[in-house]
Amino acid sequence: MESVKVFEDAAATLEEKCSNLILSNKDIKRVSTILLKEIEIGLCKETNKIADIKCYPTYVRNLPNGKEKGKFLALDLGGTNFRVLLIQLGEATPEKEFASREFPLPDLIRNSSGEVLFDHIAECLALFVKEFKVDKEILPLGFTFSFPCRQEGLTKAKLVQWTKGFTCSGVVGHDVADLLQKAIHKRDDVNIKIMAVLNDTTGTLMSSAYKQPDCKIGLIIGTGTNACYVEKVENMELWDGESDNSNQCIVNTEWGAFGDSGSLEFIRTNFDRALDSTTPNCGKQLYEKMISGKYLGEIVRRVLVYLAKEGLIFNNSSYVRLLEADTFKTKLLSEIEEKPENDLSDCKRILEELGITNFSQEDCAKVRYVCQLVSKRAAFMVAAGVATLINKINEKHTVVAVDGTLYRKHPHFRHLMAQKIKQLIRPGLTFELMLSEDGSGRGAALVAAVADRMDREETNRN
Ligand code: GLC
């Protein structure tokens, strides 16, 4: 990356101090080469056990064919909030969103027990179906559960480990569909039948593939990051499901765990290491911790505190609140980088809100510079991942369905990523990034609808 000189004298040192956050093209290509090797290790039966990137096969295979009818629920769990969605499918309405609600998921619940978590979700589901007066119907539900799971079928997914700060006890090793279904039964006031459990990447891919058959990758850049892609069954030793005409299956890479055995140490910095040491899943999800929304703000905060202690920023200021973990949220990066270079008004407002006193215009420019470095590094890391998958799929044109708050809200992430992917893919290949807003939820409802139709067809045959 070209290093633009933005400040005079002291700032030259600031740039030097931050230089390890800058990735060269050589670094990025190396990330892509290692990632490809690690995906291959994950896909191979013999080496999967030791792989960082687990490449879980999913059981989502069939696309909607237009014959799905009725109301379907989706539950999307995997970030700071969870969402419930009701969609209607039918001839006149190919896909109509009926209603949706977002429910906050306080830290207290994210770090409690599985029972508390699933009881809470079941309660919100019940409130939702009562509010929209569908509580008397039997509603098929698609459950987007965005954590690494070993699937044993469309409705059976055992949690392998928690990520993104969740730590609820009694869930790892258990089937999450079963835990949710039990919590729903226990209430005995609603009629909801779980038809499918899927990852958010799969939901995103499915909801876009429904409209765009060239869509072969589902990507999330939100609280966490992950990608799934369409792989040929012949390359997928781990596949033990049925083979149908398509001979393809969706692989949930769980690439957030890339680097967990040390392969990213050549670019990780002390800021990344210090942040990791404070997380409940220390040593895990190291790629994710350089990229996603749960972590970018905290990386910026750590860099700023370091620079302040070195006397390179906030020299005449008090910045006590900035010393507290998680005070600098990732959404601030988006807000600070939004306006043109010479307009630092948002940055000024944000520093004031953070209780920083007496800062200068140059301090604002430095804060913005740090945000840009951290965002750019994240965008380039994801670009390396996406380019690796596009090259692996090796089709003339690949559509990538993308969702996630960081991707949607950040003013430059998309452009930075696209630019870098272009440089990294094989000549002759082309790609398109397609925003799939709320794709993970809608995808789950669609998958539930297909499963429901297939069940009915089966019943009619017998
Ligand atoms: C984390 C989860 C993964 C999910 C991703 C995006 O990496 O482990 O399952 O897809 O976050 O939400």
Side-chain angles (χ1 to χ4, degrees), residues 165 169 173 230 239 249 291 323 341 352 371 403:
S169 57
V230 179
W239 175 251
C249 103
I291 293 172
L323 295 172
E341 228 33 73
E352 278 164 8
C371 290
D403 199 4

Side-chain angles (χ1 to χ4, degrees), residues 77-79 145-149 161-164 199-202 219-227 252 254-257 285 288 292:
L77 173 72
F145 182 75
S146 307
F147 299 93
C149 286
Q161 62 189 31
W162 284 116
T163 52
K164 298 178 282 194
N199 187 260
D200 49 359
T201 54
T202 315
L219 169 68
I220 300 285
I221 312 164
T223 309
T225 182
N226 188 15
N252 169 15
E254 284 292 333
W255 76 13
Q285 301 291 107
E288 176 162 88
S292 70

Side-chain angles (χ1 to χ4, degrees), residues 54 80 91 95 99 139 191 199 222-223 264 298 300 319 415:
K54 288 294 181 200
T80 35
E91 278 133 36
E95 186 201 324
L139 289 169
N191 240 324
N199 187 260
T223 309
L264 290 176
E298 179 61 6
V300 168
Y319 53 88
H415 176 69

Side-chain angles (χ1 to χ4, degrees), residues 112-175:
S112 58
S113 67
E115 193 171 2
V116 170
L117 173 73
F118 287 106
D119 284 353
H120 175 70
I121 295 173
E123 183 182 352
C124 296
L125 266 174
L127 285 173
F128 180 90
V129 294
K130 284 176 193 164
E131 181 183 348
F132 294 100
K133 303 198 169 34
V134 284
D135 50 318
K136 301 285 177 283
E137 304 175 30
I138 302 178
L139 289 169
L141 174 128
F143 181 18
T144 308
F145 182 75
S146 307
F147 299 93
C149 286
R150 205 173 289 284
Q151 298 245 175
E152 290 172 14
L154 196 53
T155 52
K156 194 162 185 173
K158 288 190 178 157
L159 176 65
V160 175
Q161 62 189 31
W162 284 116
T163 52
K164 298 178 282 194
F166 280 66
T167 59
C168 299
S169 57
V171 187
V172 172
H174 294 270
D175 173 12

Side-chain angles (χ1 to χ4, degrees), residues 24 47 57 81 85 105-106 109 180 254 268 277 302 313 323 371 385 426 456:
S24 67
T47 48
N81 297 314
L85 215 78
L105 205 58
I109 293 184
L180 177 61
E254 284 292 333
R268 283 181 79 228
S277 70
R302 285 172 180 274
I313 192 172
L323 295 172
C371 290
R426 216 168 279 135
R456 274 183 228 225

Side-chain angles (χ1 to χ4, degrees), residues 438-454:
D438 207 9
S440 56
R442 278 188 296 114
L446 290 175
V447 173
V450 175
D452 178 65
R453 168 177 55 81
M454 294 180 62

